[in-house]
Structures are given as structure tokens and as C-alpha cells.
Amino acid sequence: MTRAFSGLGIRHAGHFTRLKWHRLRRSFNDPLFSAEVMAEGFRLGASTELDLRVRSDGGFVVLHDEELEGETNGHGLIRQAAADDIRPLRLTAGGHHPILSEDLASLLQTAHPEALLQFDMKDELAVIGERGMAHLTEYFAGAGSSIIISGHDLDLILAVKEQLPSLKRGIDPTDKLIEIYRENGLKAVEEDLRADLAGRTEPDTIYLAWPLILRAAAEGLDLIGLCRDAGKLVDAWTFNLQSPDEGFDADEAKHFTALMGLKPDQITTDEPIATERAWAAIDG
């Protein structure tokens, strides 16, 4: 009998690691940011992620790039387009309409209690402004533990803490930590990360690139353990298989095994089902 894989997570050595569906994908065969896949994730209680860009009217749209032509058949900056300009557009990959934040709020009402949706905010607070924050408050303040808002801009995360205190918060210091490592070494990385963990944003989850996690571990610094000791969860991003149908190659198996040994709370991937299946093939 063929084993069914859901792509929800992996249990290993007494620890459960969630698999987060990056850009609302169960596989690279899924189109980017599909409402259909999101609905399936909500039904199953999956951890999913999408990108948000602010519109000219203060609302948001689920897109990654700054300009509409990056992912849709539209043109111009997203922050200069209103909902009525964006709603008729279609994504170039998949042909479906973009998801607006108003629609997203409605879909969230169907979510399984264990479902977690990450809003990865691609604009800074200065761009989002008061109208954008008011929109988030109006539509998502009551979502509670179903949403985690993340971003590179700590001012934005601090604003979320103050205006939407019931939502989870995440920060991604990866780029900064890599630069610190190059210039000042691993001890400086540890000191800076400790400062972020104790910072005013009070994040629930720390997003760290998996190669950084493994490099630090090889040199004696357990970044995941450091975050765990501070009461934070860690998402290791983004681990993708080169050949999803074939499973891990030798290097992928080595890296993923090392990563699982550090017990991350979550691993981001565009191939959650294939990753779960690949791990089962080597871990039994």
C-alpha cells in the first residue's frame, strides 16, 4: 500500500517540524499564490506563506515583486494601483486572478484551527503608512494565532506589535547576520542575534536561512538552540530538492539530516510533499 504524504510536517527523534508551503505551493507544479492551494492548506491545517504588497488605496495584494509586470499581465508599481486596477489582472504563471487582502480575510474564516498563515511583508512601514496599518487592523485584528506577520523592517514589526497585538510576529535577520559574519565573525553574529531576540519587537518566530544555520553549527554555534533558549521558534528557509520526484541526492540528504538534527520548528519549502516523502525514504 502506498503511503500518503500531506506535506504538513516531519516527526524525528521526538520532535515535530512543520513544513511551510512557500508562496502557497505544495510543489513547483503549483502556480504561485493560488487561492485553491491556500484553501487546501486551510482545510488541512497547514503552515503556509504568502507575500503582501500595499496598494494605493491602503489595501494589499498577494504578490512578491514591486511592479505588477513582475508576476501579472499588469504594469506599473503596485503601490500606485488600487483594488479595482488589480482585481481584473491575471498572474502570468497559472492565469488566476491575484488575491486581494479583502478576499484573504474572507478565506481565513474557513481555516482549520491549526492552520498558520504567514504574511511576509515586502514593503516597509514608511511605504505602508497609516492607511495600510489601518487596513490590516480592520481586516485581520481578530485573526489571532492564525496569522504571523514577518518582515525585514523592524519598525513595521514593532507597529504590528502595537496595533495588532493578538497576531504573531516574525523577524528575519539573515541578511544582516551574514554580513556581520563576513566582517566580524561568529561571535558577533551571536551577540547581534541575542539582541534581536530580546528586542522591542518581541518576535515569536525567527526566520533564518538554512545554510547559515548549518555553517554556524559546524563552527560550534547552534542558532536554533540559542533561539529556543530565548523562547522563540525557528523557521529554516528555503530547502528545495533539485529533483523532487527522485528524492534527496547525497548532498541534500546530508544537509537535511544535519538540519533535522538541530530540531527546527519549521522548514520552508516549495516542495513540502516531496520533502516529506524524501525524508521518509532515508529515515524510515
Side-chain angles (χ1 to χ4, degrees):
M1 183 175 178
T2 303
R3 176 178 171 183
F5 297 98
S6 64
L8 297 181
I10 293 170
R11 187 168 296 280
H12 174 67
H15 179 78
F16 184 72
T17 297
R18 297 188 85 169
L19 294 173
K20 186 181 73 187
W21 301 7
H22 186 220
R23 299 179 291 185
L24 299 180
R25 276 176 157 177
R26 295 159 302 184
S27 82
F28 280 115
N29 293 325
D30 285 330
L32 288 176
F33 305 131
S34 161
E36 180 181 350
V37 175
M38 182 168 61
E40 177 68 2
F42 285 169
R43 185 184 70 81
L44 293 174
S47 178
T48 57
E49 179 259 5
L50 52 78
D51 300 323
L52 282 184
R53 286 282 183 181
V54 70
R55 308 182 317 241
S56 64
D57 52 19
F60 294 82
V61 61
V62 180
L63 291 172
H64 175 280
D65 294 346
E66 187 177 20
E67 298 178 342
L68 287 165
E69 49 262 56
E71 293 154 299
T72 78
N73 60 347
H75 300 281
L77 292 172
I78 294 173
R79 63 175 177 265
Q80 295 177 351
D84 289 343
D85 302 318
I86 296 174
R87 193 178 294 278
L89 302 179
R90 293 187 180 273
L91 271 71
T92 53
H96 52 288
H97 295 291
I99 302 171
L100 301 185
S101 48
E102 295 87 346
D103 305 321
L104 182 56
S106 297
L107 287 168
L108 266 171
Q109 303 302 314
T110 69
H112 186 285
E114 294 183 6
L116 179 63
L117 177 61
Q118 178 191 347
F119 289 179
D120 193 359
M121 309 299 288
K122 294 304 180 184
D123 293 306
E124 297 180 349
L125 179 61
V127 176
I128 291 173
E130 293 182 4
R131 291 182 69 190
M133 292 305 300
H135 182 94
L136 289 174
T137 302
E138 177 183 357
Y139 284 92
F140 301 107
S145 60
S146 297
I147 293 177
I148 180 166
I149 296 185
S150 67
H152 292 274
D153 181 15
L154 295 187
D155 289 337
L156 171 60
I157 304 305
L158 185 59
V160 170
K161 173 190 168 184
E162 294 172 348
Q163 297 185 40
L164 297 98
S166 66
L167 302 190
K168 297 177 182 293
R169 297 176 299 280
I171 62 172
D172 185 349
T174 294
D175 290 345
K176 177 182 64 169
L177 294 180
I178 290 174
E179 189 63 27
I180 290 172
Y181 175 80
R182 289 171 178 164
E183 294 184 359
N184 299 303
L186 204 58
K187 183 60 178 177
V189 167
E190 178 180 357
E191 292 173 354
D192 195 86
L193 181 55
R194 287 187 184 277
D196 280 340
L197 296 176
R200 294 173 60 205
T201 59
E202 299 182 356
D204 298 280
T205 298
I206 312 299
Y207 297 90
L208 297 171
W210 70 263
L212 174 64
I213 292 171
L214 293 190
R215 176 175 289 187
E219 297 184 26
L221 176 60
D222 181 358
L223 295 176
I224 293 177
L226 191 157
C227 294
R228 183 178 298 116
D229 289 345
K232 313 300 182 183
L233 304 178
V234 174
D235 177 304
W237 60 265
T238 298
F239 200 107
N240 284 327
L241 293 79
Q242 292 297 315
S243 301
D245 291 339
E246 298 176 14
F248 294 132
D249 63 24
D251 285 340
E252 289 169 346
K254 176 182 176 181
H255 292 150
F256 200 85
T257 299
L259 187 58
M260 289 297 294
L262 296 170
K263 298 184 177 180
D265 300 285
Q266 185 165 263
I267 294 175
T268 297
T269 176
D270 290 88
E271 287 280 354
I273 294 174
T275 300
E276 183 186 359
R277 182 174 61 242
W279 177 252
I282 64 174
D283 192 54

